[in-house]
Structure formats: structure tokens, C-alpha cells
Amino acid sequence: MNPTLNLWLIPVLPLAGAAINGFLGKRSSRQAVTTVALVFSGTAFAMALWVAMRFSSISLPYQEFFAHWIRSGSFSVDFAFYLDQLSLVMLLVVTGVGFLIHVYSVGYMWDDPSYYRFFSYLNLFMFFMLTLILAGNYLQMFIGWEGVGLASYLLIGFWFTKDSAASAGKKAFIVNRIGDFGFMIALFLLIKHFGSLNFDQVFGAVTSLPTEAAGAGLLTAIGILLMVGACGKSAQIPLYIWLPDAMEGPTPVSALIHAATMVTAGVYMVSRSHLIFERAPTALTVVAIIGTLTAFFAATIGITQTDIKKVLAYSTVSQLGYMFMACGAGAFSAGIFHLMTHAFFKGLLFLAAGSVIHAVGGEQDMRKMGGLKSFIPWTFLTMGIATLAIAGIPPLAGFWSKDEILWKAYQASPVYWAVGVVTAFITSFYMFRLLYMTFFGDYRGAGVDAHSQGSQAHDADAHDVHGHGLPHESPMVMLVPLMILALLSLVGGLVGIGNRFEQFLAPVFGTGLGATEAVEGAGRSTELLLMGVSVSVALLGWWLAYLLYYKRPELPQKIADSLGGFYQTVVHKYYVDEIYAAVFVKPLIDGSTRILWQGVDRNIIDAAVNDAGDGARHVSDEVRHMQSGNIRSYAGWIAAGSAAVIGFMIWMWVKG
């Protein structure tokens, strides 16, 4: 008999913290707000660790009923919590990395006038994310799914007085709604054909169905619609456009939502639904193609970005593409492995970027940085470790998970592998480009004359001002989370040695192309050769960045000038935002082209509402004359009604 774990407490704790700070935080001290935020999020992490320690004694999958929710005929949905190897990994990542980011935020956001509101939103986000990953059915998952979208909107637009931040929040919310529409249609199909949204019942029914080898069928449709939802939440082509703009939020938001947790929700949902995708090869191919294209496409954009957070944003889109490429290749455990290591090194990269921005008074343009390693050595050290990890340099965490993805992709299709290797080269190049532009050479920032003239650096964005003068190291409350994440980026990938991570997740995903079969099928020598190729391209990218941005810093501009229009196209992100604006946004809102607005909004939507109201008013105006107070009139109406009923009955009798 399973022990009671009280899983419901894990999401409820941050919800309580959000409520306390949301309702009482404005009248409380910063110390009180900090205590509430850290105690409730930290206790959730402690409970997750407690669950992990008792994991071996639990019969899996473990389900915990919380409350009756929906009852309609034979269809029923309970609010219940579901724990297996997959949700445990996600639980530890969300609570662990989330708690570290909460600690970091204390130093980063201390001077913000809406300090309490920030932590209320941060705790609220954790509640919805934990609801999503512990959900025992698709409907509960969808509640968490929509909740993290709402919390993301609040956090991206946190500085809502800035037009760019408010617009970014709205953009994220709207684009996610497009993806969510596909998710909802998939849920309707599940209800229609399986009569349930509970994981056990749906997956039990799916396993009895044959693989849709010839063309598309029900499972293919469901899989593709689920992937549409995943594209919105996890920023894949064509719905990736919201994530780079989401960098308008505070840097801790970028680290928590857009690196470690929310954007991985799509990967988690696809992985949780692996039984559906495994019986729908066409849908699985769609996942692989979208992931592979997104990984390469976003990486090319990252090469030309000069905003330190925008580089990391496009890197996130690209790395998420890697995860989907793994899932599309049927290597779900490899995708989750990279999800975990990515949370370590990308969360670290964003927090270190926040430390850099903190050091230089809010500046985000790398062209105005340089030489910072002597000013902020701890930030440089930790960010250097994260850069080595994401580039895939052994033996850091990113090497193990990325190599696993490339190996599985090669077995699925050499084309996926080739694109993945090129993407790995580009990733290494733009990340070391970021490192050299930020930390090496001479300091090019606004405070360069401060030492001799005693002047102070100024920041255009008042929200990010934490200091003045020359760059300075962050306080320990910000550095300690960086050090812990740096340690995880160093050793976190070692759990994958000997396929231990894959074996841990095997009860969820099955053995698939396990280690033994893989070696027998392609040969150990082939695996080692491919590993050597991936490491070589990572080192090549490092060398090229060293040459262009350290030894010969005048070369990049010359190369850019020689490339002309092509370079400008990449700088402007292939004009995708402009194309979307011209095709979709402008016809709906621009004053010079109101065809769709007039035809759809005014003449259909508004007209339906207004005409319904006018019709009801006219009908009620006529009907009220029936209430005259005249008994003879009432008798006449009764007689007329009786005659109508009798006439209808006679007509039905004749027709029958």
C-alpha cells in the first residue's frame, strides 16, 4: 500500500505565498515579503526532495485524489495528482531552479517599487506550473497550461508603464492563445472518441489501437493538434515570435519562465503524450521537422543579435527545437534529459546576464560592454561555465544531453543529425561571441571615464539601476544561486553516463532504442565518431569566435559589410515580425485597411450582439401589451393558445 505523500501541498504552498503577498504585501515591509516568498517556494522544494527520497518505496504511477470536479453522464474528471518518473524530474527542476531564482530576485528586484507584486506573480507562476506537471488528466494540465500563460503575461508586462513591456506581454498572451486553440481541439477529440481525459484511461485505450502506418487518422490529428499547442507554449515555428520580445520583463522572469520552466511545458506535454505520438508516425515526423528547423533557424538569428538577453532568447528557441527534434526521433528520454540540463545552464546564463546588466547600470548592448571579467570575476566564471555547457564541451552537462540527442537523431535520420551538428556549431559560435564581447577587451561602457572624473553611469531604464560608476560585482544573494547553478552545469549531465537517465525514465517511455540495441545497430565506433564530430564543431565555433571577437575584432564589421543585404535580413530576424504584421495584424487594426475589421468585427460580431439585444427589446415591447388587465382579453388569448395547441396535435396525428 502506497504511503500518502500529500502532493497537493506542493502547488498549494506557492499559491498561499502569492495570495499573502498579493493581498498584504503592499502594507508589509520588503523583509516580510521576502520571507513569505522564500519560505513558501522553499518549502515546496523541500517537499519535492522529500518525495524524491521516498520515491523508491512508492508503487508507480502514484495517483492522489484531491477533489471531485466534473460529472456529466459517463464523463467525469477529478482534480487529482499524478506522480511517475517523468513528473518527478519536472517537479525537482521547477521547484529547485525556481527557488534559486526566487533567491536571486531578492537582490535584483530589491529597489523596485512593486517588489511585493513581483513576488506574488512569481509564486503564482510556480503554482500553475506545478499544477501542470502534477496533473492527473489533460483538463487539469490545461488549467495549469493556461495559468502559466496568464502568469507569464503578468511577469513579462511587469513594468507595464513601458510601452514595449506592455506590448510584449500582450503579444505573448495572444500568440499562446493561437496554440492553445489547437490544444483544446485535441482535448475535444479525446473526449469524443475515448470518453475521458484521464491519462490512464486515454493511454489504455490508445495502446489497443494499431499504429497509423498508412496516412493520417484520429491519433495523427490529435498528435498534430497537441503539437500546435506545444508550438505556442514552447516557441516553435511558426509561433516562436513572442519569446524574444518577452525579454522586456525583468531578467529573473527570463530565467524562470523562458529558460527553465514555462517554455518546456510543450516538451513535457508531448512527452507525456508519447503513446499517442508513437502510434501516429506522421505526427511524430511533424514534431521532428518543426524542432529541427526551429533549432537551426533561431540559431542563425542569434549570431547577429547585440542585446545580451536577445542572444539568449533566440538560443532558448533553438535549444527547445533540439528537445522537439529528440521527441520527434522517438527519443523522449533524451529530450527530457536536455530539458533538465538546459534548465541548469540556461537559467545560469540568464541570471549571469542579469548580473552583467546590474553591473553596468542597466545596459544590455554588448557593444557597450567589454573587459568586464576584471570587474565582475564571479559572474565571468559562472557565465563561462554555462557557455562551455551549452556549447557541448565535455564533460559539462550540455555535452551529455546534446550528444544523446544527436546520437538518437542520427538513428532516426541522418538529415536531422546533420542539421543538429550545424546548429551545434552555430550555438558554440554565438555563445562564445557573447562571452568575448562582454568580458574581454577594453571596457566600452558609459562609466569608462568615471574613475578619473568621478562621474556616475546612468541608465535609461530606471527599473534596472542598482549602482553607479564603474561596473561592480553583484551582492552575494545574487551570486550564490549562480554558483549553485554553475555546479549543476558542471556535473548535472553525469546522471546520463551509462544511460542511467534513460533507464530511470524507461518505465514511462519504454526502452525504445536502448543502449544495447543502439550499439548493435550502428556500432560503438560509429557512436564515438559522431561524438567526436559534435565536440569538434563545438571547438571550431569557439575558435572562430575567439578569432573574430578577440584576436581580430575589426573583422566582423568587414564581413557584415561584405554580406550586404543577406546580413541585414538576418539582423532583422528574416523580417518575420514585419510579415506577420502586414499579413495578419495590419488588416485587423490599421485605419487604412478596415475591410476585415468592418466585415468581421462590426458587421458580424458586434452586429450579432447588438441585434440580439434589439430583437429581445422589440419582442418584449410587443409582448407586454398582452398584460392589459382586461379579463376578456386574457380569455381571448387563452382560447387562441388552446386552438393553436389543438391544431398542432391534429396536424401531428394526420402526419403520423
Side-chain angles (χ1 to χ4, degrees), residues 211-427:
T211 300
E212 296 178 349
L218 170 65
L219 298 182
T220 299
I222 293 173
I224 291 175
L225 287 167
L226 289 175
M227 185 57 191
V228 171
C231 284
K233 197 66 70 185
S234 294
Q236 298 294 284
I237 291 174
L239 301 178
Y240 72 92
I241 56 172
W242 66 269
L243 193 143
D245 288 2
M247 297 302 108
E248 290 291 340
T251 300
V253 173
S254 303
L256 178 64
I257 297 181
H258 309 119
T261 54
M262 172 185 155
V263 291
T264 60
V267 180
Y268 171 73
M269 183 262 282
V270 170
S271 299
R272 175 60 72 196
S273 309
H274 68 97
L275 287 172
I276 295 175
F277 285 93
E278 286 169 349
R279 282 160 177 75
T282 301
L284 208 58
T285 301
V286 170
V287 173
I289 292 174
I290 289 177
T292 304
L293 292 177
T294 303
F296 174 76
F297 179 78
T300 61
I301 298 176
I303 295 175
T304 62
Q305 298 302 301
T306 55
D307 184 312
I308 189 170
K309 288 177 66 176
K310 286 291 180 69
V311 175
L312 298 179
Y314 281 104
S315 172
T316 297
V317 176
S318 179
Q319 294 300 304
L320 289 165
Y322 253 102
M323 298 174 207
F324 279 107
M325 180 172 68
C327 292
F332 296 98
S333 59
I336 296 300
F337 187 20
H338 197 58
L339 182 155
M340 182 186 72
T341 60
H342 179 264
F344 300 153
F345 59 70
K346 185 55 68 63
L348 174 56
L349 284 168
F350 270 113
L351 295 186
S355 184
V356 170
I357 295 167
H358 172 277
V360 295
E363 183 59 65
Q364 295 184 197
D365 192 335
M366 296 185 298
R367 295 170 296 185
K368 299 178 182 178
M369 297 179 186
L372 292 179
K373 64 184 177 70
S374 60
F375 294 104
I376 48 176
W378 283 107
T379 300
F380 166 65
L381 175 62
T382 54
M383 197 167 198
I385 291 172
T387 301
L388 291 169
I390 192 174
I393 305 297
L396 283 81
F399 161 75
W400 301 102
S401 57
K402 187 176 291 186
D403 182 71
E404 183 73 9
I405 289 176
L406 291 174
W407 172 232
K408 298 295 185 181
Y410 178 82
Q411 295 175 60
S413 169
V415 175
Y416 299 154
W417 174 83
V419 177
V421 167
V422 173
T423 302
F425 163 73
I426 298 173
T427 300

Side-chain angles (χ1 to χ4, degrees), residues 124-133 143-145 147-148 150-151:
L124 182 66
F125 170 83
M126 282 195 67
F127 161 71
F128 281 121
M129 190 66 199
L130 290 169
T131 299
L132 189 157
I133 62 176
I143 297 298
W145 186 276
V148 293
L150 170 64

Side-chain angles (χ1 to χ4, degrees), residues 391 420-422 424-426 428-429 532-542:
V421 167
V422 173
F425 163 73
I426 298 173
S428 178
F429 172 72
V533 171
S534 66
V535 173
S536 298
V537 298
L539 294 174
L540 180 62
W542 185 355

Side-chain angles (χ1 to χ4, degrees), residues 17 31 52 99-100 129 164 171 225 360 380 453 473 480 595:
Q31 289 80 4
F99 176 65
L100 289 176
M129 190 66 199
S164 57
K171 185 175 184 179
L225 287 167
V360 295
F380 166 65
Q453 300 176 8
E473 189 61 276
V480 169
I595 297 174

Side-chain angles (χ1 to χ4, degrees), residues 303-304 425 429 433 543-571:
I303 295 175
T304 62
F425 163 73
F429 172 72
R433 168 182 177 265
W543 174 82
L544 187 61
Y546 169 79
L547 175 66
L548 295 179
Y549 293 95
Y550 184 73
K551 296 295 291 184
R552 301 287 301 278
E554 76 282 355
L555 283 181
Q557 188 58 51
K558 293 180 180 179
I559 295 173
D561 293 340
S562 66
L563 292 175
F566 175 74
Y567 179 80
Q568 289 302 316
T569 299
V570 180
V571 168

